[in-house]
Amino acid sequence: MFGQPQTFDTTTLDLIRHGEPEGGVRYRGSVDDPLCHRGWEQLRNSTSQSGCRWNAVFSSPMLRCHAFASALSQQQQIPLTVIDGLRELCFGTLEGLTPEQAWQQYPELLTNLWQDPAGHTPPEGEPYSDFLARVSESLDQVITAAKNQHVLLVVHGGVIRAALTYLLNIQPSDTFCFEVPYAGMTRLKIYTDQAGRRNTALTFANRYQG
């Protein structure tokens, strides 16, 4: 696709968002709620629909990701690596609020975040530049470790959007054009030449959903 195929290492990343956590839809970057029963079913359905047997699984340390990643790694007998940098963005004072509560209390902040997430930070929250830097570093770690393999990343909606920003070289605000539902799976193929230069192709977004 980007030149003579034999000159490229190809790594396939399947990024799946965790299923629904206990407590429903809330801003929960740092709130460590576990998956509810429906969340487990969403992830099982999505991964089974894909029909994939991955070479390895990588996960955020948060319970809503790590618990399923651990179960899947045991089921498929593949290695699991937990990477702290794949945690969700910390939303500061928005943490724990439902979308309705957040819009009632912080309408201007949320409008600004949707229009320019990189330029606005919730009070006591994590700057987007710091978040993108740690996610990008974590993705580099995965790509290096998984050269020429097909791997699964069990992560968060914000992490998937950050991955699109970093690997496809698009603006953070543009990623809001992508729906990222619970247990939605998105595939990226990373082509790396002998000089270490990369090109990335988006194979599909949300083809498999729970």
Side-chain angles (χ1 to χ4, degrees), residues 171-184:
Q171 293 300 311
S173 57
D174 293 336
T175 65
F176 290 116
C177 297
F178 292 85
E179 184 180 5
V180 187
Y182 288 137

Side-chain angles (χ1 to χ4, degrees), residues 18-206:
H18 58 78
E20 181 178 338
E22 291 185 359
V25 179
R26 295 179 181 275
Y27 286 91
R28 51 162 63 80
S30 300
V31 177
D32 203 12
D33 291 329
L35 293 169
C36 67
H37 176 76
R38 174 170 168 75
W40 278 95
E41 288 302 308
Q42 289 169 330
L43 286 165
R44 291 190 187 105
N45 290 341
S46 187
T47 51
S48 64
Q49 286 177 49
S50 74
C52 291
R53 181 175 179 81
W54 293 277
N55 298 110
V57 58
F58 296 82
S59 176
S60 158
M62 307 304 284
L63 280 173
R64 55 193 183 274
C65 297
H66 178 257
F68 178 78
S70 179
L72 183 70
S73 72
Q74 294 178 39
Q75 176 190 338
Q76 294 203 358
Q77 297 185 322
I78 56 176
L80 166 65
T81 302
V82 178
I83 300 179
D84 188 65
L86 294 176
R87 289 175 291 107
E88 181 60 287
L89 174 73
C90 175
F91 295 107
T93 56
L94 299 177
E95 292 278 342
L97 299 180
T98 66
E100 294 78 11
Q101 290 169 335
W103 277 101
Q104 287 173 0
Q105 297 180 40
Y106 302 100
E108 183 177 356
L109 171 63
L110 289 177
T111 298
N112 290 334
L113 287 173
W114 278 92
Q115 293 177 348
D116 181 17
H120 297 87
T121 303
E124 302 177 27
E126 180 180 16
Y128 188 84
S129 59
D130 293 352
F131 171 64
L132 181 60
R134 67 171 167 84
V135 171
S136 300
E137 182 179 352
S138 299
L139 291 170
D140 288 341
Q141 178 181 341
V142 171
I143 293 166
T144 299
K147 184 173 71 172
N148 291 320
Q149 295 184 13
H150 183 184
V151 299
L152 179 70
L153 285 74
V154 186
V155 290
H156 309 270
V159 171
I160 293 173
R161 295 185 195 280
L164 295 173
T165 293
Y166 177 55
L167 296 173
L168 297 180
N169 194 30
I170 61 178
Q171 293 300 311
S173 57
D174 293 336
T175 65
F176 290 116
C177 297
F178 292 85
E179 184 180 5
V180 187
Y182 288 137
M185 187 185 296
T186 293
R187 178 170 295 169
L188 295 166
K189 287 192 175 181
I190 316 298
Y191 301 91
T192 307
D193 69 15
Q194 299 305 307
R197 295 170 299 208
R198 287 187 199 148
N199 283 296
T200 302
L202 175 65
T203 305
F204 59 75
N206 302 316

